[in-house]
Amino acid sequence: MTKEIRRLVAEMCVGMFLYVLALGILAVIFRRGLAGMGFALAPVLAGLFAGFLADVAMLVHMAIVAERATDSRDAGYANRITVVQSVLRKIIFVVVLFFLGSRPQIDAVAMIIGALGLKMGAFLQPTVHRMTSGGEASLKETDGESAGPNGGGDITLGERRKEYGNDEDSDDRA
């Protein structure tokens, strides 16, 4: 994986972990309510953690498949590989869910809820990126050519919008 993809995956993992951590804290706070519904705290926490680990594995797999499909530069191959790998990923998750969910130490419902962290990781990634990059709003060019007006190699969001014609000076307003 490229450096940018690895950073994106790491940022999404932070968001997924924050989601599972928040759910874990809520489970601890409301443990009496969970016990009243027949859920023990330890299997719920183990299920959330198992869901988090499943999310990490699925995210890394998606990144590898997406990069491989992009590198192929063949739309037909890219479509086939992403569909097949997506179905394979879901089948493996369901098998692991049944295997781990049949154990009394892991709650299957909590694992499914923990696996929803992939969505939350995607939603939180921009926030995590801003926090970890110090608020930088520039995009690095991959070809090394100078992009900015000062020739610094960085292109700001405003310059990118101006280059593609979707800024406030554009004639085509939506």
Side-chain angles (χ1 to χ4, degrees):
M1 283 191 287
T2 64
K3 182 179 175 183
E4 292 82 17
I5 298 295
R6 281 193 305 267
R7 180 178 171 109
L8 178 68
V9 167
E11 290 169 351
M12 285 183 66
C13 285
V14 169
M16 293 178 334
F17 180 75
L18 292 175
Y19 168 77
V20 170
L21 181 66
L23 288 177
I25 290 170
L26 288 173
V28 170
I29 291 171
F30 296 111
R31 67 180 167 263
R32 287 194 178 127
L34 285 172
M37 292 187 294
F39 295 102
L41 181 62
V44 168
L45 293 177
L48 289 173
F49 186 69
F52 169 72
L53 292 179
D55 275 349
V56 171
M58 288 188 288
L59 179 62
V60 169
H61 183 255
M62 282 189 275
I64 291 169
V65 169
E67 196 165 47
R68 190 168 60 176
T70 304
D71 289 343
S72 74
R73 300 191 190 276
D74 178 15
Y77 172 78
N79 188 33
R80 272 191 317 276
I81 190 103
T82 53
V83 169
V84 168
Q85 294 295 322
S86 173
V87 169
L88 182 65
R89 193 170 41 248
K90 290 172 186 168
I91 290 171
I92 290 172
F93 178 74
V94 169
V95 168
V96 170
L97 176 67
F98 279 122
F99 177 74
L100 293 179
S102 66
R103 308 286 184 255
Q105 298 89 0
I106 297 179
D107 186 62
V109 174
M111 186 175 169
I112 293 170
I113 292 171
L116 294 175
L118 195 56
K119 302 272 188 215
M120 191 54 92
F123 289 135
L124 290 176
Q125 185 274 329
T127 304
V128 172
H129 179 74
R130 279 192 298 272
M131 289 171 35
T132 58
S133 67
E136 294 177 14
S138 64
L139 301 171
K140 298 283 184 191
E141 290 243 325
T142 56
D143 59 0
E145 295 178 10
S146 110
N150 300 330
D154 291 344
I155 181 168
T156 64
L157 192 57
E159 291 167 344
R160 183 170 177 233
R161 287 184 177 153
K162 187 118 180 136
E163 180 179 338
Y164 293 109
N166 59 351
D167 66 326
E168 63 272 359
D169 298 330
S170 175
D171 292 336
D172 185 38
R173 297 193 187 263

